[in-house]
Amino acid sequence: MSKKPSAIKMTVIWFRLSCISLLNRGQRNISIFSNATPSNLNKVVSDAEKIVGYPTSFVSLRCLLSDELSNVAMHVRKLVGTKHPLLSTARGLIYDSRNNLQMRGLVVLLMSKAAGPSQHTASDHLPQDMVSGIYPSQRNLAEVTELIHTAFLVHRGIINLKGWTNSDGPLKDMQFGNKMSVLSGDFLLANACTGLAQLNNTKVVELISSAIGDLVQGIYHEIHNSLEDNSLTDEINMDMWEEQTFLSHGALLAKSCQAAMELAKHDKDAQGLAYKYGKHLSLGHKLNSDLQLFVKSSSSADPVTFSFNSAPVVFHRQIVGQETWCHQLQQAKTIGRQMDYTKLRSTIKLEKGVTSTIDLCRYHGNKALESIQCFPSSEARSALENIARAVTKF
């Protein structure tokens, strides 16, 4: 960047204040995130940030400081008062402590610090270059990971306007919001690709590029399977669910952890263990998130929070069979043919789908713990262990 430090500092202040100002005036009851993560995880993440010396809430601020995104933020102000999800996405990225939206970069940094320098480190990649036990290239990788994740969050906030009516809100506001979501997401993704190229490591580029492809494929399957009509006809089991969920929720973190090891010149064994940690942590975290609607009495069941593609629902369908599942769906509908999600949730809780999901969540948490036991004992490894344990608590 060509800006002077003083200008950068002023831009940071302006950006934070302007975003918080516009979000404070926006609709607060809209969210594209189905569940909040447990408070125990919030504390674990907060403690871990101190170890790497890098608050994850602003891990990608280098991109956010650009003039281009400042212009986007000015246009997003026009969405205040509408029901477009882009506002909720932005609010979550700025100060929503319940969702830990930017935990991926933190895990990459912790993994980098826990593994430390490789014994096979090249002469041009010395331990003296490390800051707080992390190479600058690994910090840049963490930023790239966050930018990619944020870009996909923004893109997923695009609303399907097919069948949109005036009673749902002004159509032109939603169209404008969709355009801003596409523009913002593309901008973040373009910056991520630029940062990725600057790492000057072809294997890392290949890993992260494949993770982007996995995200696209996984999100497509997730959207398809989350629709009620498809749940009546599509056959899906937990093996398929894990495979598709890994693509949409686990591939980016798993391959980023592996890439962090590659940047430090660690061998294939260390890279494989880092990959496994990211994979199992992501799956455990997603299972934990899916369980919140079924294990917390305060959670309300509605079209926003209830997903036909959530793990407890898929487990339930697998246990009772497709014929029984279709019958239960019909019983959960009201006279007006509207789905009673509270009744459907109660039906699912009567079977073993929820307990099976809890067992699977704990399995992935334990597998994540096992994968990092070969790393030296340190604060960073302990933080990774605490995060893995936190995703198994409900």
Side-chain angles (χ1 to χ4, degrees):
M1 291 179 58
S2 59
K3 292 186 178 182
K4 297 179 181 179
S6 58
I8 291 178
K9 185 175 180 180
M10 292 302 296
T11 309
V12 173
I13 296 172
W14 173 85
F15 181 83
R16 292 180 65 178
L17 290 177
S18 63
C19 284
I20 292 174
S21 174
L22 76 90
L23 293 170
N24 275 333
R25 293 187 288 122
Q27 299 293 324
R28 289 187 171 274
N29 59 338
I30 304 155
S31 176
I32 64 170
F33 310 110
S34 58
N35 296 299
T37 49
S39 58
N40 182 53
L41 181 57
N42 294 331
K43 183 179 185 305
V44 170
V45 169
S46 178
D47 292 341
E49 287 179 345
K50 301 171 186 176
I51 297 174
V52 297
Y54 207 133
T56 57
S57 301
F58 295 98
V59 75
S60 56
L61 265 183
R62 182 181 304 177
C63 168
L64 297 179
L65 297 177
S66 65
D67 292 335
E68 291 89 344
L69 203 61
S70 298
N71 291 331
V72 171
M74 295 299 292
H75 286 293
V76 170
R77 286 177 177 271
K78 299 177 184 178
L79 293 175
V80 173
T82 71
K83 295 183 178 181
H84 200 280
L86 180 57
L87 282 174
S88 298
T89 307
R91 184 193 322 119
L93 295 170
I94 297 299
Y95 61 77
D96 191 345
S97 61
R98 297 175 303 165
N99 289 296
N100 289 318
L101 300 181
Q102 301 197 358
M103 189 177 70
R104 286 159 184 79
L106 173 62
V107 172
V108 172
L109 294 173
L110 287 171
M111 184 64 69
S112 302
K113 189 177 178 71
S118 170
Q119 297 178 351
H120 310 289
T121 302
S123 58
D124 60 342
H125 205 167
L126 299 175
Q128 297 93 285
D129 298 330
M130 304 177 86
V131 178
S132 297
I134 303 169
Y135 289 114
S137 60
Q138 291 172 321
R139 289 191 182 273
N140 293 338
L141 173 64
E143 291 185 0
V144 168
T145 301
E146 283 305 336
L147 284 174
I148 294 171
H149 175 61
T150 304
F152 275 86
L153 277 182
V154 173
H155 277 159
R156 292 179 76 171
I158 298 173
I159 296 176
N160 184 2
L161 297 178
K162 184 179 180 180
W164 189 269
T165 62
N166 290 330
S167 61
D168 298 320
L171 179 61
K172 64 178 182 179
D173 289 342
M174 296 300 105
Q175 290 174 332
F176 178 75
N178 280 356
K179 291 178 181 178
M180 296 309 300
S181 293
V182 172
L183 175 63
S184 305
D186 287 352
F187 174 78
L188 293 171
L189 195 57
N191 274 267
C193 292
T194 300
L196 185 60
Q198 291 172 348
L199 293 175
N200 295 319
N201 188 305
T202 54
K203 183 175 180 180
V204 170
V205 171
E206 181 181 351
L207 279 170
I208 304 303
S209 297
S210 65
I212 293 175
D214 292 339
L215 270 168
V216 174
Q217 183 180 349
I219 291 172
Y220 169 80
H221 288 298
E222 186 176 283
I223 293 173
H224 175 80
N225 294 330
S226 63
L227 301 176
E228 177 188 340
D229 292 341
N230 293 332
S231 73
L232 288 168
T233 58
D234 291 357
E235 292 287 346
I236 185 173
N237 54 43
M238 281 307 297
D239 289 336
M240 295 171 59
W241 182 92
E242 284 193 89
E243 181 181 341
Q244 294 172 6
T245 301
F246 170 71
L247 294 176
S248 59
H249 289 83
L252 179 60
L253 180 58
K255 293 183 178 181
S256 293
C257 288
Q258 181 181 353
M261 299 298 96
E262 165 64 23
L263 289 172
K265 307 300 180 184
H266 284 283
D267 58 25
K268 291 184 178 180
D269 290 339
Q271 292 183 32
L273 291 171
Y275 176 92
K276 288 181 180 179
Y277 178 86
K279 172 185 177 180
H280 290 293
L281 179 70
S282 299
L283 290 173
H285 188 271
K286 182 62 169 66
L287 289 161
N288 187 305
S289 177
D290 285 357
L291 279 164
Q292 297 306 305
L293 179 66
F294 298 91
V295 299
K296 285 191 173 181
S297 57
S298 59
S299 300
S300 59
D302 53 53
V304 176
T305 59
F306 190 97
S307 171
F308 287 93
N309 192 46
S310 67
V313 176
V314 175
F315 251 131
H316 176 77
R317 290 173 57 184
Q318 182 175 312
I319 292 170
V320 302
Q322 188 70 5
E323 183 177 348
T324 302
W325 169 243
C326 292
H327 179 66
Q328 290 175 342
L329 284 177
Q330 294 302 318
Q331 287 185 321
K333 289 187 176 181
T334 61
I335 298 177
R337 307 303 294 168
Q338 295 295 317
M339 182 65 68
D340 185 341
Y341 291 96
T342 301
K343 183 177 181 179
L344 184 58
R345 176 178 65 174
S346 299
T347 301
I348 293 171
K349 290 173 70 173
L350 292 174
E351 299 291 343
K352 297 181 179 180
V354 175
T355 55
S356 297
T357 305
I358 292 174
D359 292 340
L360 185 60
C361 180
R362 288 172 177 163
Y363 166 80
H364 284 295
N366 291 332
K367 295 295 287 185
L369 285 171
E370 290 176 12
S371 65
I372 56 173
Q373 293 309 305
C374 68
F375 292 139
S377 179
S378 65
E379 284 186 320
R381 196 188 85 172
S382 296
L384 290 171
E385 291 171 344
N386 290 337
I387 292 175
R389 292 191 186 100
V391 301
T392 64
K393 292 180 170 58
F394 310 99

